[in-house]
């Protein structure tokens, strides 16, 4: 019998200006690993062993951007489990708003963009992030 492959849980933040009616979204350009470098993403990273997903979200956003955030709604994936990041990860995404600090590309990113609604598709997102940003756009446009 083969063991089931359990995807590693990643958490990501859709950093927006307003949790109820987002009109600006933060995109971050990765510097690593080489095959993902240059791609834009929602910032975040892996949940550590023993860590709660929301703790990991706060930790990752502080490490990567130097900000403290308020967390809003989770952006649910159609499968209810999180967004697949092939081949080995799955990501849960929450809307977040900065409450302390100014986002800066402190580690693993070399550029940030604050994108006004209407231009969220005009970025070279990592393939895995494209359906997430599409869902986020639909949510923002209906609010
Ligand atoms: N990943 C994809 N999109 C994202 C994030 C935060 C992460 N928005 C993928 C890239 C890596 C894996 O998940 O393959 C783990 O992310 P990290 O810990 O390297 O940021
Ligand atoms: Mg990361």
């Amino acid at each position: 019998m083969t063991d089931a492959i359990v995807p590693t849980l990643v958490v990501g933040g859709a950093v927006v200006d307003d949790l109820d009616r987002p009109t600006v979204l933060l995109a971050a350009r990765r510097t690593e690993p080489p095959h993902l470098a240059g791609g834009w993403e929602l910032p975040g990273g892996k949940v550590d062993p023993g860590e709660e997903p929301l703790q990991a979200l706060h930790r990752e956003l502080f490490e990567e951007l130097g900000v403290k955030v308020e967390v809003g709604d989770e952006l649910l994936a159609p499968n209810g489990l999180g967004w697949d990041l092939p081949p080995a990860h799955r990501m849960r995404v929450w809307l977040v708003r900065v409450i302390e600090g100014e986002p800066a590309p402190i580690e693993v990113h070399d550029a940030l963009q604050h994108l006004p609604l209407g231009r969220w598709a005009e970025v070279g997102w990592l393939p895995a992030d494209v359906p997430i940003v599409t869902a986020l756009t639909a949510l923002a446009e209906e609010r």
Side-chain angles (χ1 to χ4, degrees), residues 10-11 30 36 41-46 64 85 89 91 126 128-129:
V10 172
V11 292
R30 288 186 71 107
L36 298 180
E41 69 169 8
L42 304 178
K46 296 181 201 72
E64 295 190 351
L85 309 177
H89 300 87
M91 181 162 71
L126 297 180
D129 287 42

Side-chain angles (χ1 to χ4, degrees), residues 1 3 9 17 24 54 87 110 137:
M1 204 182 93
D3 291 327
L9 185 61
D17 56 330
V24 179
L54 286 175
D110 64 358
T137 304

